[in-house]
């Protein structure tokens, strides 16, 4: 592997983690505002993992489903 390929792979990994973290902030802050901080952190990590696996094709649906779950659950 040459230096260009390694640098490119690092950029792809960093971008996947960064975008997953940004998208995951939506369920995190909703969970925090509803008194479910632990669940918000778990859903944030799920968005990061989903974006790392399949990009926005997986992290956006995870975000939507987790936001629905948080709104269905009662506030603490």
């Amino acid at each position: 592997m040459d230096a260009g390929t390694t640098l490119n792979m690092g950029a792809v990994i960093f971008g996947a983690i960064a975008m997953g973290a940004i998208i995951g902030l939506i369920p995190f802050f909703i969970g925090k505002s509803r008194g479910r901080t632990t669940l918000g952190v778990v859903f944030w990590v799920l968005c990061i993992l989903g974006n790392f696996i399949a990009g926005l094709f997986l992290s956006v649906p995870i975000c939507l489903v987790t936001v629905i779950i948080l709104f269905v659950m009662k506030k603490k």
Side-chain angles (χ1 to χ4, degrees), residues 23 26-28 30 34 43 61-73:
I23 297 221
I26 297 169
F28 171 74
I30 291 173
R34 297 184 64 85
F43 291 160
I62 288 173
C63 179
L64 292 174
V65 169
T66 56
V67 165
I68 291 169
I69 290 170
L70 287 169
F71 278 127
V72 168
M73 295 177 79

Side-chain angles (χ1 to χ4, degrees), residues 1-14:
M1 231 191 266
D2 63 345
T5 306
T6 305
L7 185 62
N8 189 25
M9 183 64 81
V12 168
I13 291 171
F14 176 76

Side-chain angles (χ1 to χ4, degrees), residues 35-53:
R36 307 241 181 222
T37 306
T38 305
L39 208 52
V41 170
V42 170
F43 291 160
W44 178 70
V45 171
L46 280 175
C47 286
I48 293 172
L49 290 174
N51 201 25
F52 190 74
I53 292 169

